[in-house]
Amino acid sequence: MKAAAVGLAAPYTFAQTPKIISEPLGDNLYLLAGAGGNVVVRTGADGVVMVDGGLAQNAGALAQAVAALPNSGPVRTLFNTHWHPEQTGSNEKLGMAGCTIIAQENTRLWLQQNITWPWNGQKFTKFAKIAQPNKTFYDNGTLGEIKYGYISDAAHTDGDLYVYFPQQNVLAVGDAACGEGWPVVDWWTGGWIGGIVGGLQRIQTVANKDTKIVPAVGPVLSLADITAQVDMYGTIYDRLNQMMNKGRGPSEGVEAKPAKEFEAKMGNADEFIRRSFESLWAYLSPDA
Ligand SMILES: [Zn+2]
């Protein structure tokens, strides 16, 4: 179809500049929201440490917001809590600047290949070498006082990690916990509904009652919030498991409304239930 002539041709498109909001979490530690996923930033004399980097289109605005924090400086270390674009959008910019990019080894492997999600056809292009994590680990590690570790339950992907800042008692967990609405169950890269429960239980063991737990989406959570989530996802997991054992499929699972009592607070669960059911199949089938 031929476009109708209009009086004003747009010579360029206006890129939407995101509004990055910063919230203090403790000494030299901040939560930056608005870049596409929550980002935790520690400033100080040793250089800046970041957990996740928002979407690529927001990397410039995020870098400006980081530079404007008190005691800021060059970013020396970036953690990728997993491979999704909301977490890895600053990789290229910071990788080119010589930053150490830490990730669990599986995250690096995902970023080295093209990925297409089968449920919606969304495509993700593999990263250039410079943008890939350049320091990977399997189980856990330390960076000064910072402790990080693998969330091996496959809560969201098979490469989830947490980063714990003991001095401020802050635990960044990426999408292994969700602060707002239902999480994406990315079974294509290893996540599953049983792993959501297992990952939350692991977070319970790392956190204490005063820990501020920062998810990739939504506000800061407490240990009590995580405990409530363990109960909720545990209930849903049990129901789906029972249905699957009776030979039901994803559509029957959705129709049975196994998350009905949680929807008033959490929103419609249909998409989440369908993905969760598919994740059971993916996880339990022998060649998965
Ligand atoms: Zn994610």
Side-chain angles (χ1 to χ4, degrees), residues 63-70 72:
Q64 282 180 10
V66 170
L69 293 171
S72 195

Side-chain angles (χ1 to χ4, degrees), residues 87-98:
Q87 282 67 45
T88 52
S90 292
N91 279 33
E92 187 168 3
K93 192 179 172 67
L94 290 174
M96 289 199 294

Side-chain angles (χ1 to χ4, degrees), residues 38-283:
N38 286 334
V39 174
V40 173
V41 181
R42 193 193 69 179
T43 60
D46 302 336
V48 170
V49 175
M50 281 172 66
V51 182
D52 288 333
L55 287 164
Q57 70 222 50
N58 302 332
L62 179 64
Q64 282 180 10
V66 170
L69 293 171
N71 299 318
S72 195
V75 180
R76 299 257 189 255
T77 308
L78 169 70
F79 287 93
N80 291 155
T81 58
H82 58 292
W83 69 268
H84 286 163
E86 293 83 356
Q87 282 67 45
T88 52
S90 292
N91 279 33
E92 187 168 3
K93 192 179 172 67
L94 290 174
M96 289 199 294
C99 179
T100 301
I101 304 176
I102 302 178
Q104 208 277 340
E105 173 62 12
N106 289 337
T107 292
R108 187 176 69 93
L109 294 174
W110 289 122
L111 290 172
Q112 287 177 327
Q113 54 186 285
N114 296 323
I115 292 169
T116 304
W117 277 346
W119 52 87
N120 64 4
Q122 196 173 343
K123 290 184 188 328
F124 306 91
T125 309
K126 64 183 173 189
F127 276 23
K129 177 92 176 155
I130 192 78
Q132 291 170 16
N134 49 37
K135 185 180 173 191
T136 61
F137 69 99
Y138 288 95
D139 299 319
N140 51 58
T142 57
L143 178 74
E145 61 155 24
I146 297 171
K147 294 180 169 63
Y148 56 93
Y150 183 29
I151 303 174
S152 57
D153 318 272
H156 180 66
T157 70
D158 63 9
D160 303 326
L161 67 77
Y162 69 80
V163 184
Y164 182 57
F165 299 86
Q167 196 197 321
Q168 299 88 351
N169 198 6
V170 168
L171 179 63
V173 298
D175 275 325
C178 193
E180 208 170 74
W182 298 103
V184 173
V185 188
D186 183 358
W187 55 263
W188 189 249
T189 65
W192 73 300
I193 175 69
I196 292 176
V197 179
L200 290 166
Q201 287 171 330
R202 185 176 302 271
I203 290 167
Q204 285 180 309
T205 68
V206 181
N208 57 58
K209 69 174 177 39
D210 300 317
T211 305
K212 292 175 182 166
I213 300 160
V214 183
V217 178
V220 172
L221 302 170
S222 68
L223 184 59
D225 295 325
I226 297 295
T227 301
Q229 289 200 11
V230 168
D231 291 345
M232 178 178 74
Y233 290 112
T235 300
I236 295 169
Y237 171 63
D238 287 343
R239 289 173 184 168
L240 291 181
N241 225 0
Q242 282 169 22
M243 281 190 276
M244 199 187 65
N245 289 336
K246 287 178 188 162
R248 307 287 194 274
S251 293
E252 292 160 303
V254 171
E255 278 164 32
K257 286 273 175 199
K260 195 172 178 39
E261 73 262 46
F262 308 114
E263 289 190 325
K265 179 170 176 260
M266 298 284 293
N268 182 288
D270 291 357
E271 182 83 359
F272 170 75
I273 295 299
R274 186 172 295 276
R275 282 301 89 67
S276 295
F277 210 108
E278 290 165 357
S279 83
L280 279 176
W281 275 355
Y283 191 81

